[in-house]
Amino acid sequence: MSLSKVLYVDVPFEGEKGGDKNRSQFLWKTLCNHYDVDLLLLLGDEYRTRPIKRDKNDRIVHSLVIRSANLFNPRAIHYFHQYQIEKFKKVLKETRYDLVFFRFLSCFELASIAHQVLPNARIAIDVDMLFSRISELSWKEDRSIHNRYHLFEMIKLRRYELMAFRSDFLFFFTNSIERDLAVKRYGLHVDNALVNPNMMPATKDIQESVKPPVERFILFFGSLDSVANIDAFEYLKSQIYSSIETELMNHDCYILVVGKGKLKLHENHNCSRMIVVGEVDDMASYIALSQFVILPLRIASGTRTRILESASQAKAVI
């Protein structure tokens, strides 16, 4: 199929930091190098008071506002008011794209609409990760009535993933493990299941002006409002910290939790040697100044990008 016009759909990524943003920037630049690409940004609550960072060379930019999920829908998925859906349909009809490329499986509702409006267009989704695996893991660790939320989320997310992977779209995975799981569990056609590994940009020079709150620290970093990282923070706090607190004190060392979106974390912890820093201007410098990096993520495709970021600074990763 010859492609002349492409629409790329993603949350804001230009000028943003983090493993998922690196992947977004790589996908965007790759598409732009080969096709005539327009950009559609999905805006969450944080962009009600925060401006979108824009590159001066951006192609046509559209935007849709994400609304919160109700009690009957999984929280990891994007939802939109009818006005936003009609706005999306208008964008599609006005340009008649040959390919609509979505970042994240969270966008499946929009992908289905794009297929209806443009039945001859190719639809592609960069999956990023299977969200149901997080809920499944959390439920299996504690099969109790007070932990039933994760059971319900797992059921809802599996139904969502089953519906998505039965579509005749192209699905890109960062690794063969999740690709093969989608093929086996959900019946995704093998010809539609593709692997596109994470990529890393060249590392910039370290800023000497960066001053972390403590001198010696172990680093856990990432987007702190993601499902996988919230789960990792809770796991670090409840299962790991107590085993290493004495060693941290003996070496006058701390754990720094760094990344945007820290308000989603439950910070009322009793871990005296763990500090939630939040967003910083230069993550590469924090990596370089750390003793080593800890990534207590049990399920997360983006982990591989963070390993590459850490390796570029010659830092060990646990």
Side-chain angles (χ1 to χ4, degrees):
M1 175 180 181
S2 176
L3 300 178
S4 59
K5 194 66 178 175
V6 177
L7 179 65
Y8 179 68
V9 183
D10 200 343
V11 297
F13 57 86
E14 199 64 57
E16 302 284 351
K17 302 177 179 65
D20 61 323
K21 306 306 180 189
N22 288 336
R23 185 170 177 83
S24 292
Q25 291 159 14
F26 167 74
L27 292 171
W28 168 248
K29 291 176 181 177
T30 300
L31 288 170
C32 288
N33 287 338
H34 293 87
Y35 309 110
D36 182 9
V37 190
D38 291 345
L39 178 63
L40 188 149
L41 296 176
L42 307 178
L43 308 180
D45 291 341
E46 67 269 31
Y47 289 98
R48 293 178 180 178
T49 58
R50 175 183 176 186
I52 304 172
K53 297 178 182 179
R54 289 278 307 278
D55 186 279
K56 63 181 180 180
N57 296 320
D58 273 354
R59 316 293 174 94
I60 295 175
V61 177
H62 307 283
S63 65
L64 299 178
V65 176
I66 302 169
R67 71 172 174 86
S68 301
N70 60 38
L71 292 175
F72 303 101
N73 293 316
R75 295 176 62 184
I77 308 306
H78 295 327
Y79 304 96
F80 305 88
H81 288 291
Q82 188 60 38
Y83 171 78
Q84 301 294 320
I85 292 176
E86 294 303 322
K87 181 179 176 182
F88 180 57
K89 289 180 179 179
K90 183 179 179 181
V91 169
L92 298 173
K93 291 176 181 177
E94 287 180 347
T95 307
R96 313 296 296 184
Y97 295 98
D98 301 303
L99 169 69
V100 186
F101 195 109
F102 296 89
R103 178 85 165 92
F104 306 115
L105 193 62
S106 306
C107 298
F108 179 70
E109 179 185 11
L110 295 182
S112 297
I113 293 169
H115 180 60
Q116 294 169 9
V117 176
L118 302 175
N120 294 323
R122 203 70 172 108
I123 307 297
I125 300 177
D126 189 63
V127 174
D128 188 66
M129 66 178 296
L130 298 177
F131 295 116
S132 65
R133 296 178 70 201
I134 291 288
S135 298
E136 179 182 9
L137 183 60
S138 299
W139 169 245
K140 286 183 175 180
E141 285 194 344
D142 181 10
R143 299 173 185 263
S144 64
I145 189 66
H146 76 268
N147 199 40
R148 62 189 181 279
Y149 165 79
H150 294 292
L151 172 62
F152 295 146
E153 284 295 291
M154 179 185 72
I155 294 171
K156 289 185 287 187
L157 285 165
R158 282 191 174 183
R159 290 178 60 187
Y160 178 88
E161 291 166 352
L162 176 62
M163 177 177 59
F165 289 129
R166 284 184 171 177
S167 304
D168 187 24
F169 302 160
L170 293 176
F171 295 93
F172 292 89
F173 298 83
T174 61
N175 61 90
S176 59
I177 295 174
E178 292 203 332
R179 178 201 60 189
D180 295 346
L181 180 60
V183 170
K184 182 178 180 180
R185 175 181 287 176
Y186 298 114
L188 172 61
H189 196 286
V190 67
D191 291 341
N192 290 345
L194 307 171
V195 173
N196 183 20
N198 279 316
M199 305 295 290
M200 262 295 296
T203 303
K204 62 182 181 179
D205 293 335
I206 305 304
Q207 296 182 12
E208 295 182 0
S209 60
V210 171
K211 301 293 183 185
V214 293
E215 184 175 348
R216 290 172 56 84
F217 63 91
I218 299 165
L219 181 66
F220 167 38
F221 71 99
S223 298
L224 304 181
D225 52 0
S226 77
V227 175
N229 286 332
I230 292 173
D231 176 78
F233 176 77
E234 295 296 328
Y235 180 59
L236 173 63
K237 182 176 67 174
S238 62
Q239 302 295 324
I240 298 176
Y241 179 81
S242 60
S243 300
I244 63 174
E245 182 178 33
T246 300
E247 289 300 316
L248 291 171
M249 295 177 66
N250 289 342
H251 292 84
D252 192 22
C253 190
Y254 290 79
I255 297 174
L256 296 189
V257 181
V258 180
K260 71 167 191 173
K262 76 170 186 175
L263 294 180
K264 294 291 181 72
L265 299 184
H266 303 291
E267 292 184 53
N268 55 336
H269 58 76
N270 297 316
C271 307
S272 61
R273 288 274 159 173
M274 185 161 68
I275 303 172
V276 180
V277 176
E279 189 170 5
V280 297
D281 292 331
D282 184 36
M283 187 67 75
S285 294
Y286 267 77
I287 296 172
L289 293 170
S290 69
Q291 301 298 305
F292 57 87
V293 171
I294 180 172
L295 296 174
L297 289 97
R298 299 178 288 178
I299 300 172
S301 298
T303 307
R304 292 165 175 79
T305 304
R306 277 174 276 184
I307 292 172
L308 292 175
E309 290 181 84
S310 303
S312 70
Q313 302 294 341
K315 290 296 173 179
V317 181
I318 296 180

